[in-house]
Amino acid sequence: MPEQQTNRRGPLTDSALRTKNRTARWLTEVFQPPVVVSVQLLVSPLTEPGFPGTIGYGALAALFVCVLPLVLLLVLVKLGKVTDHHVSDRRQRAPVLLMALASVLAGLLVLDVTGAPRSVVVMVLTIVGGIVVIGAVSPFWKISGHAAAISSSAVITVLMLGPVWLPLLVLIPAVGWSRVVLRAHTAGQVVAGALVGGLVMSGFWWLLQGWLV
């Protein structure tokens, strides 16, 4: 018999449960890491002279950081090598992250050769740092990549563009909630992911920004 979900007022009705799960699924898909990170890369040169003309460098970075790894991941899913595009089985995460890291490093080389703005390079290096941390933890614990991605993007956007963008921080608990509702992660795994993104990755970005830009 399926487990019945409840809230503080008692058991959820079928309609409420469907709405809850549908909302969680929507948040998970719309704010999945490849989408969030792609937007983050596109706006990364925003604070440097030449924007929006330099947005092409952000798109080039997104190609190597998000698009190519996602395409390869979908191929692996199609071949049955990986369970799904969210890589729900943590045992499959390390090889997938290594594949993504290889693509990102290739992208860094291309960005360097093409003379990309330092702000784009800094953002890519920040993502490399996040991949390394999550990759190191994943064999032992299924830390939330969704939480890390949305946290780093939201916090870095606020640091880049100022407090007017503080409302973006609401997305952090919203996306985290969706992952728990869908039982993709525990609350602890979501909080850990948010800390990796909001503190570790954002802190790394802040240091690199001051050093390289």
Side-chain angles (χ1 to χ4, degrees):
M1 188 173 178
E3 182 181 345
Q4 189 175 36
Q5 294 191 32
T6 63
N7 60 14
R8 290 181 180 178
R9 297 180 181 178
L12 293 174
T13 65
D14 288 344
S15 176
L17 184 57
R18 283 195 299 270
T19 299
K20 178 182 177 181
N21 288 337
R22 191 181 303 118
T23 302
R25 177 63 61 189
W26 183 86
L27 285 167
T28 279
E29 295 299 336
V30 170
F31 296 103
Q32 60 181 288
V35 175
V36 171
V37 173
S38 292
V39 174
Q40 188 178 14
L41 288 166
L42 287 173
V43 302
S44 59
L46 183 62
T47 57
E48 286 196 80
F51 190 87
T54 53
I55 199 171
Y57 290 105
L60 181 62
L63 174 65
F64 283 92
V65 175
C66 302
V67 178
L68 292 179
L70 179 59
V71 169
L72 291 172
L73 175 59
L74 292 175
V75 170
L76 291 175
V77 172
K78 184 72 173 177
L79 294 174
K81 303 295 184 181
V82 177
T83 52
D84 59 84
H85 67 289
H86 294 305
V87 197
S88 299
D89 187 341
R90 67 175 173 81
R91 294 170 298 180
Q92 299 169 346
R93 284 188 152 202
V96 170
L97 287 169
L98 283 174
M99 175 189 70
L101 184 59
S103 181
V104 172
L105 293 176
L108 274 173
L109 180 61
V110 173
L111 290 171
D112 183 60
V113 170
T114 56
R118 294 291 92 186
S119 55
V120 178
V121 174
V122 164
M123 196 68 77
V124 175
L125 288 172
T126 299
I127 293 163
V128 169
I131 291 174
V132 169
V133 172
I134 293 173
V137 174
S138 287
F140 313 101
W141 201 44
K142 191 183 168 189
I143 194 168
S144 175
H146 278 73
I150 195 64
S151 297
S152 65
S153 294
V155 172
I156 289 172
T157 299
V158 172
L159 292 174
M160 279 178 59
L161 304 178
V164 70
W165 290 90
L166 279 171
L168 281 180
L169 299 180
V170 174
L171 291 173
I172 298 173
V175 173
W177 168 84
S178 77
R179 303 305 287 154
V180 174
V181 167
L182 296 174
R183 299 182 180 180
H185 294 284
T186 64
Q189 290 166 344
V190 166
V191 170
L195 291 174
V196 168
L199 292 180
V200 178
M201 293 177 67
S202 299
F204 189 42
W205 175 87
W206 182 262
L207 291 174
L208 289 174
Q209 184 80 359
W211 181 34
L212 295 177
V213 179

